Amino acid sequence: MSVQIWTYAFVFLTFGLYIGIAIWSRASSTKEFYVAGGNVPPLANGMATAADWMSAASFISMAGLIAFLGRDGAFYLMGWTGGYVLLALLLAPYLRKFGKFTVPDFIGDRYYSRTARLIAVFCAIVISFVYVCGQMQGAGIVFSRFLEVDITIGVIIGMAIVFFYAVMGGMKGITYTQVAQYCVLIFAFMVPAIFISILMTGQLIPQIGFGSELLDGSGFLLDRLDGLSAELGFPTYTDGHRSTQDVFFITAALMFGTAGLPHVIIRFFTVPNVRDARKSAGFALIFIAILYTTAPAVSAFAKTNLINTVNNIEYTAVPEWFTKWETTNLIVFDDKNSDGLIQYVGDPEINELQVNRDIMVLANPEIAGLPNWVVALVAAGALAAALSTAAGLLLVISTSVAHDFLKRSFMPGITEKQELRYARISIFLAVLVAGYFGINPPAYVAQVVAFAFGLAAASFFPAIVMGIFYKRMNRQGAIAGMLAGFGFTAMYIIYFRFINPAADNTENWWFGISPEGIGTLGAMANLAVAYTVAKFTPAPPLEVQKIVERIRLPGDI
């Protein structure tokens, strides 16, 4: 069967499974809609957390960026994995003991301020929108290539599916859907990685194949890739080319952003108690590590195969996968010297091939000549990764609007049924906005997601940390800090990515820090402003300080 037929079969089966789970687990109360009733088993919650966490950026874009950035791309691995550990060990147990299941809820009550709550609501919505746009973009890429539909139609299909099961089941439906999606995405990522590792190095385990000799006798994989890259004028894979401070700031921004992401934090409220929250965090880390330790190997396999396949071949003799991806405009050949040969080199004046980083994982099985069913399986896995995270983010938006903005701030008298209605309406509106930016993306999927992490690092992370570990922190300090950190980070990203993209280079960055890493500086600004303001304003009420002391005491609730 063709790739398209296999893809239709896998998409039909997996989407049918997701919809069936959503109908089976339909939420009937706000507690089920927001936190799945608080009784999800730790193992299931760990799988759901991993699926929620490993978005289209992890599945589609991360290995592709590492393939082109080489060693520098490790900041995605270090930042996202390290950030999850930071969240699981440093923040999640205390937030679970505090008893508030949204970040704005925690900030509003901890800082005894409706203003602080509304600022947190605004930040949560913006961060979630930026993040979910990357997921819609990833879904559109998959649909446009493998189902051979326009990318706009692909995004609309993804919007419709995720809207259905997010509205139908809320967190309860999303949780059990994400368990299924994790199984799909990890199987889809590992199967081609194992196939290609065996074909290229004879090693069953990709992580071992990553450091092994190639079967064709050309040496070790990384040595071969470095040699090919240097020969063609590309940066070598194993050498770092970014400044040390930029790598540090990007890694820290991804770590702090992870620890402040509302759609991940809320997962720790879906289990019965703090002990189960810790267990689910441990399970999730294991499930996440399977993909994250495989990604560098996938990136090296993909880049080596790409160079060997396309460089210096006649355009009339390109394989079928090349022409298929050309129709998506994600790989473009411009025959500058009209010789009919594809010149894929590092010199931009000579180079005739533009390759979008987001296609590397998706095209990798086709480049390696794997069976059609494996190619289609990767497409189904990419959709599972994109839609699982999109659902979690849409739920954050809906809870921020219905629970934190309306119920807790302006309409305290609304019934549970009315609150659910407003939550579902807000998901519908959020899907429309996310779909628009999925069709008109501002950058690669992983870069778009990195911006969301930077904003979370600059706004939520300092407010949460100081709210737990510094009982003297008051509402004036928290409000001033969040405004300073979020505002500075947002303006920096907007200026260099949208207002003056021509200035987006090392020479013009502040202290050599890229827009992806500026969230670290924003977090520092948040901390400095918050601490200074708190020192010159009244201390929090005594009952708030006692709550902070209580949540730091050992023991479960």
Side-chain angles (χ1 to χ4, degrees):
M1 290 195 296
S2 68
V3 170
Q4 189 176 18
I5 294 175
W6 273 114
T7 305
Y8 271 113
F10 280 132
V11 169
F12 178 79
L13 291 173
T14 55
F15 279 19
L17 176 63
Y18 306 154
I19 292 171
I21 292 173
I23 294 172
W24 166 76
S25 56
R26 179 180 173 86
S28 57
S29 67
T30 52
K31 188 174 184 181
E32 287 186 340
F33 192 87
Y34 293 146
V35 291
N39 56 9
V40 178
L43 180 62
N45 195 55
M47 296 180 75
T49 302
D52 208 357
W53 173 237
M54 292 190 295
S55 64
S58 295
F59 190 100
I60 297 175
S61 196
M62 182 175 64
L65 282 171
I66 294 174
F68 286 86
L69 293 173
R71 192 183 73 185
D72 289 338
F75 51 64
Y76 288 108
L77 297 170
M78 295 185 296
W80 283 336
T81 309
Y84 181 79
V85 175
L86 185 66
L87 170 62
L89 298 182
L90 183 66
L91 302 182
Y94 302 106
L95 290 172
R96 182 66 177 79
K97 288 186 73 172
F98 194 87
K100 301 299 177 181
F101 56 78
T102 70
V103 173
D105 222 6
F106 168 80
I107 289 176
D109 284 11
R110 165 59 182 86
Y111 296 114
Y112 51 99
S113 169
R114 187 171 76 169
T115 301
R117 184 190 304 277
L118 293 177
I119 292 172
V121 167
F122 173 78
C123 293
I125 291 174
V126 172
I127 291 165
S128 298
F129 266 129
V130 174
Y131 204 158
V132 80
C133 290
Q135 313 316 308
M136 292 295 102
Q137 178 187 353
I141 290 172
V142 175
F143 278 116
S144 66
R145 161 61 187 93
F146 294 102
L147 299 185
E148 299 183 10
V149 299
D150 183 77
I151 194 167
T152 301
I153 301 299
V155 171
I156 292 172
I157 295 172
M159 289 164 54
I161 295 296
V162 76
F163 171 75
F164 179 84
Y165 69 76
V167 166
M168 177 74 71
M171 179 57 82
K172 185 179 178 183
I174 287 171
T175 295
Y176 292 106
T177 301
Q178 286 174 337
V179 171
Q181 287 169 329
Y182 175 77
C183 296
V184 172
L185 76 86
I186 202 65
F187 188 70
F189 196 85
M190 293 303 299
V191 166
I194 292 170
F195 262 106
I196 296 172
S197 180
I198 293 172
L199 289 174
M200 294 183 69
T201 68
Q203 297 291 342
L204 177 67
I205 301 173
Q207 290 89 336
I208 297 177
F210 184 53
S212 299
E213 291 189 69
L214 295 167
L215 293 178
D216 62 8
S218 58
F220 285 90
L221 170 65
L222 293 180
D223 289 338
R224 176 60 175 160
L225 179 54
D226 276 352
L228 287 171
S229 299
E231 181 182 333
L232 298 175
F234 292 113
T236 52
Y237 186 90
T238 57
D239 290 332
H241 302 280
R242 282 183 179 251
S243 66
T244 302
Q245 73 264 25
D246 191 34
V247 171
F248 171 80
F249 274 85
I250 294 175
T251 303
L254 295 174
M255 286 184 65
F256 299 157
T258 298
L261 281 179
H263 79 288
V264 178
I265 290 173
I266 200 172
R267 293 238 58 98
F268 294 98
F269 293 90
T270 62
V271 291
N273 52 52
V274 177
R275 181 180 289 107
D276 286 341
R278 291 193 179 100
K279 287 181 181 178
S280 64
F283 284 130
L285 189 59
I286 294 170
F287 295 139
I288 291 168
I290 295 172
L291 187 146
Y292 270 55
T293 57
T294 307
V298 170
S299 68
F301 296 150
K303 188 67 180 292
T304 303
N305 282 333
L306 177 70
I307 293 175
N308 285 331
T309 303
V310 302
N311 191 52
N312 265 335
I313 68 169
E314 292 187 12
Y315 180 66
T316 54
V318 293
E320 184 182 3
W321 72 262
F322 189 98
T323 56
K324 292 287 188 181
W325 278 104
E326 266 194 309
T327 61
T328 67
N329 292 320
L330 297 176
I331 187 167
V332 178
F333 170 56
D334 176 19
D335 194 3
K336 295 179 179 178
N337 58 9
S338 303
D339 65 351
L341 296 176
I342 299 176
Q343 305 295 324
Y344 185 44
V345 295
D347 187 343
E349 298 297 324
I350 303 173
N351 182 52
E352 298 175 338
L353 190 67
Q354 300 298 323
V355 182
N356 187 299
R357 275 69 167 157
D358 289 341
I359 76 168
M360 293 302 291
V361 170
L362 298 174
N364 194 24
E366 295 178 283
I367 298 172
L370 298 186
N372 288 342
W373 69 268
V374 178
V375 177
L377 179 64
V378 172
L383 289 173
L387 298 183
S388 62
T389 302
L393 293 165
L394 290 171
L395 189 67
V396 166
I397 294 171
S398 72
T399 54
S400 296
V401 173
H403 181 75
D404 298 306
F405 184 75
L406 297 178
K407 177 73 173 180
R408 295 299 306 274
S409 300
F410 293 105
M411 301 172 65
I414 60 174
T415 65
E416 188 173 283
K417 185 176 181 180
Q418 289 172 320
E419 188 179 347
L420 276 175
R421 184 184 305 122
Y422 286 125
R424 286 171 169 142
I425 291 172
S426 62
I427 286 180
F428 173 73
L429 297 176
V431 164
L432 295 180
V433 176
Y436 171 80
F437 285 105
I439 295 168
N440 302 281
Y444 300 124
V445 173
Q447 289 177 315
V448 174
V449 169
F451 298 152
F453 279 76
L455 293 171
S459 56
F460 286 145
F461 180 71
I464 295 172
V465 169
M466 289 187 292
I468 295 171
F469 298 104
Y470 183 42
K471 66 180 182 180
R472 179 62 176 75
M473 181 51 59
N474 60 15
R475 63 184 176 190
Q476 294 91 338
I479 291 170
M482 284 192 294
L483 290 175
F486 185 90
F488 166 75
T489 303
M491 287 189 292
Y492 192 92
I493 292 172
I494 291 170
Y495 175 77
F496 283 113
R497 289 301 188 199
F498 304 103
I499 296 177
N500 189 13
D504 189 8
N505 54 61
T506 307
E507 294 179 359
N508 295 312
W509 294 339
W510 286 16
F511 310 111
I513 304 171
S514 64
E516 290 88 348
I518 200 62
T520 302
L521 202 58
M524 293 178 181
N526 185 330
L527 285 167
V529 170
Y531 182 80
T532 303
V533 171
K535 278 294 185 182
F536 293 96
T537 48
L542 188 60
E543 60 268 23
V544 172
Q545 297 186 48
K546 288 182 178 178
I547 291 174
V548 175
E549 291 176 351
R550 180 181 61 80
I551 66 173
R552 297 209 303 256
L553 291 174
D556 290 344
I557 56 171

